[in-house]
Amino acid sequence: MTGRELDAAGITEPDLRAAYTRCRELNARHGRTYFLATRLLTPDRRPAVHALYGFARWADDIVDSLDSAADPADRARALDRLDDDLAHGLAGGAGAEPVVRALADTARRHAIDHRHFADFLAAMRSDLTVTSYATYADLRGYMHGSAAVIGLEMLPVLGTVTPREEAAPHAAELGVAFQLTNFLRDVGEDLDRGRVYLPQDLLNSHGVHRELLRRCRDTGRVDRRVTAALREFEDLTRAAYRRAAPGVGMLAPVSRPCIRTAFVLYGGILDAVAATGYAVLHRRAVVPRRRRALVAADGLLRVAAARMAAHAAARRTPGGAGVPLEPAASGPRAHPPARPHPRHKEVA
């Protein structure tokens, strides 16, 4: 299947194919929900999404891996090396890391704004020193680089039926919604890393402090103040999904089933968190396998319908041959024949 995707995307050079394959492996291993949704894209788009995920995952692991004995200074140096490698790759060089080679190629093919990558790495670097956020506005500032830009990177790959600038705020908000979901699900794991992403003013309003979170994490106790704070954070997250929702219909029809599936499955994580009584300090909430399968099946039906509609439209057009199977994405493509993106962690 990987070979077919690479062929469809026009990726022929062996070393580059290996780099994209490495990104796909990272997506498959660490991003189960994300990878499942990606399978609903047309084959030519999948390698680019794998490249965007693979790079984000690679940088995130430098910063966050609990398996590494690296101290903050070591992690900062590793990020600096990755930043230098990316700059070289985006300037036309080969890139030392496979994730960089694939990402640079994707950026060229889809004319992705390089500022998105700079903003992302700046957010990753802040995670080395920033351990909390005073307000929700402060957290949103961080998430511009850690999450919103991922949605913006995706737009040229997915294609739009509206001007891209009209879809961009919704795409950025969906990246934020996904990350807020991760933050809620991973409160306990992030606490083990020394970080609390729930805004301090929200926690204070419920009488919650870091020491209380730590005590609940260590003892397995449930505290009604913590539960109330988590419920309010869930409300903020659901509001982000509502702001993002209109953007799905702005995407190219054949890309909508992928994003809709991710939208539903990520939202299902919120349902799972609530179903556990907000016990995220003690265990990870997951979407039941049966639910995942049903959502994926619905996505496959939507994919089939979108592709049938695109083929029917092509047949109705005089001449037929050479007619695009979807509305063209707004914005330039660096390589038109190759029409092929938690902090982005694993998401279910």
Side-chain angles (χ1 to χ4, degrees), residues 227-300:
T227 298
L230 294 172
R231 186 179 291 113
E232 182 177 347
F233 194 78
E234 179 199 0
D235 291 341
L236 290 174
T237 305
R238 292 193 184 276
Y241 279 100
R242 290 193 293 273
R243 291 189 293 269
V248 178
M250 298 178 184
L251 299 175
V254 293
S255 294
R256 292 173 196 164
C258 165
I259 302 306
R260 182 186 180 280
T261 296
F263 188 101
V264 172
L265 289 176
Y266 269 82
I269 295 173
L270 297 179
D271 296 335
V273 167
T276 66
Y278 303 89
V280 290
L281 281 166
H282 314 127
R283 61 182 180 274
R284 169 175 283 212
V286 297
V287 178
R289 184 173 299 178
R290 176 177 172 80
R291 171 64 173 159
R292 287 162 52 89
L294 289 172
V295 173
D298 177 72
L300 287 171

Side-chain angles (χ1 to χ4, degrees), residues 24-25 37 59 62 74 100 115 124 141 204-205 222 225 237 242 253 265 310 313 329 340:
R24 186 183 189 276
E25 292 169 351
I62 289 174
D74 292 331
V100 169
R115 290 177 298 179
M124 294 301 96
N204 289 344
S205 69
V222 175
R225 294 168 293 177
T237 305
R242 290 193 293 273
L265 289 176

Side-chain angles (χ1 to χ4, degrees), residues 308-334:
M308 288 176 62
H311 283 292
R315 288 195 298 270
R316 289 194 299 270
T317 302
V323 177
L325 297 182
E326 64 188 56
S330 59
R333 288 186 184 271

Side-chain angles (χ1 to χ4, degrees), residues 97-347:
E97 294 289 351
V99 294
V100 169
R101 292 196 292 275
L103 182 74
D105 183 69
T106 289
R108 285 191 288 270
R109 289 172 184 268
H110 297 282
I112 298 174
D113 192 333
H114 294 180
R115 290 177 298 179
H116 298 328
F117 307 127
D119 289 347
F120 173 75
L121 287 176
M124 294 301 96
R125 191 169 279 107
S126 75
D127 271 332
L128 297 174
T129 55
V130 179
T131 61
S132 64
Y133 293 87
T135 67
Y136 184 56
D138 294 330
L139 181 64
R140 295 277 309 200
Y142 161 76
M143 288 191 295
H144 165 74
S146 63
V149 297
I150 304 298
L152 297 175
E153 292 166 13
M154 286 280 285
L155 273 184
V157 179
L158 299 173
T160 59
V161 295
T162 64
R164 193 179 297 167
E165 60 270 19
E166 183 179 342
H170 302 290
E173 193 67 15
L174 188 57
V176 168
F178 287 170
Q179 186 167 57
L180 288 171
T181 302
N182 286 343
F183 287 159
L184 181 60
R185 182 200 60 190
D186 296 338
V187 170
E189 294 178 17
D190 286 330
L191 190 63
D192 292 342
R193 296 183 178 96
R195 300 197 202 105
V196 176
Y197 288 103
L198 275 64
Q200 192 58 51
D201 60 351
L202 183 153
L203 295 175
N204 289 344
S205 69
H206 295 282
V208 177
H209 45 79
R210 186 183 290 248
E211 292 73 19
L212 177 59
L213 294 174
R214 185 73 260 172
R215 187 159 64 248
C216 290
R217 172 78 167 162
D218 291 342
T219 64
R221 287 180 51 200
V222 175
D223 188 290
R224 59 177 178 79
R225 294 168 293 177
V226 173
T227 298
L230 294 172
R231 186 179 291 113
E232 182 177 347
F233 194 78
E234 179 199 0
D235 291 341
L236 290 174
T237 305
R238 292 193 184 276
Y241 279 100
R242 290 193 293 273
R243 291 189 293 269
V248 178
M250 298 178 184
L251 299 175
V254 293
S255 294
R256 292 173 196 164
C258 165
I259 302 306
R260 182 186 180 280
T261 296
F263 188 101
V264 172
L265 289 176
Y266 269 82
I269 295 173
L270 297 179
D271 296 335
V273 167
T276 66
Y278 303 89
V280 290
L281 281 166
H282 314 127
R283 61 182 180 274
R284 169 175 283 212
V286 297
V287 178
R289 184 173 299 178
R290 176 177 172 80
R291 171 64 173 159
R292 287 162 52 89
L294 289 172
V295 173
D298 177 72
L300 287 171
L301 290 173
R302 291 172 182 270
V303 166
R307 294 182 185 177
M308 288 176 62
H311 283 292
R315 288 195 298 270
R316 289 194 299 270
T317 302
V323 177
L325 297 182
E326 64 188 56
S330 59
R333 288 186 184 271
H335 298 268
R339 299 182 57 193
H341 120 46
R343 245 190 9 260
H344 280 69
K345 303 176 188 170
E346 194 278 342
V347 291

Side-chain angles (χ1 to χ4, degrees), residues 45-71:
R45 286 172 168 81
R46 295 174 199 164
V49 177
H50 294 322
L52 292 169
Y53 179 92
F55 179 82
R57 178 72 200 197
W58 193 266
D60 191 61
D61 278 352
I62 289 174
V63 173
D64 272 352
S65 176
L66 291 172
D67 297 328
S68 171
D71 61 23

